Amino acid sequence: MILSTHAIVGGAIASLFPSHPALVAVAGFASHFAIDAIPHWDYPLLSISTGQGADNRGLKVDRDLLFDLMLIGFDALAGLALAIWLFATPATTGVITLGACAAILPDPLQFAQSLFPA
């Protein structure tokens, strides 16, 4: 699933119980796995391996990597901005941001695990 989708779902979940930030963080994080279970598409990355058995330890800094990082960053920031725009009030902006970021978090964690496997 693209990161903006995860962020919007996390923001929507956060809007349901904005006075419970710990619950928002856990529910946002869990929502990532729930919506990843739905068949979907991902945009192709030129330099980063994804999925089962991804090994990114040999990443080299080149044009493809920079393009991928810009694409991923834009995707995440667009989702965060949309979640805030759709669901936040001045009093709930922080918790909506928390829900959106928690929903995105499993993907960077998976990437970090591919860089530093146990």
Side-chain angles (χ1 to χ4, degrees):
M1 195 73 57
I2 58 176
L3 295 178
S4 54
T5 303
H6 288 296
I8 292 168
V9 170
I13 289 170
S15 72
L16 298 175
F17 35 91
S19 60
H20 302 286
L23 184 58
V24 163
V26 170
F29 190 84
S31 75
H32 185 101
F33 303 102
I35 64 175
D36 262 357
I38 300 168
H40 61 280
W41 63 274
D42 292 305
Y43 46 81
L45 297 173
L46 303 173
S47 64
I48 299 171
S49 300
T50 59
Q52 192 76 351
D55 183 7
N56 291 302
R57 289 177 286 178
L59 279 180
K60 60 181 181 187
V61 178
D62 61 4
R63 174 184 260 179
D64 289 343
L65 177 63
L66 295 176
F67 179 80
D68 286 345
L69 292 175
M70 286 185 354
L71 181 62
I72 292 166
F74 175 78
D75 181 19
L77 289 175
L80 181 60
L82 282 168
I84 291 169
W85 179 67
L86 290 169
F87 304 111
T89 65
T92 63
T93 302
V95 77
I96 299 297
T97 302
L98 174 64
C101 289
I104 291 172
L105 185 59
D107 281 342
L109 289 176
Q110 181 182 9
F111 176 67
Q113 193 276 330
S114 77
L115 287 175
F116 308 105

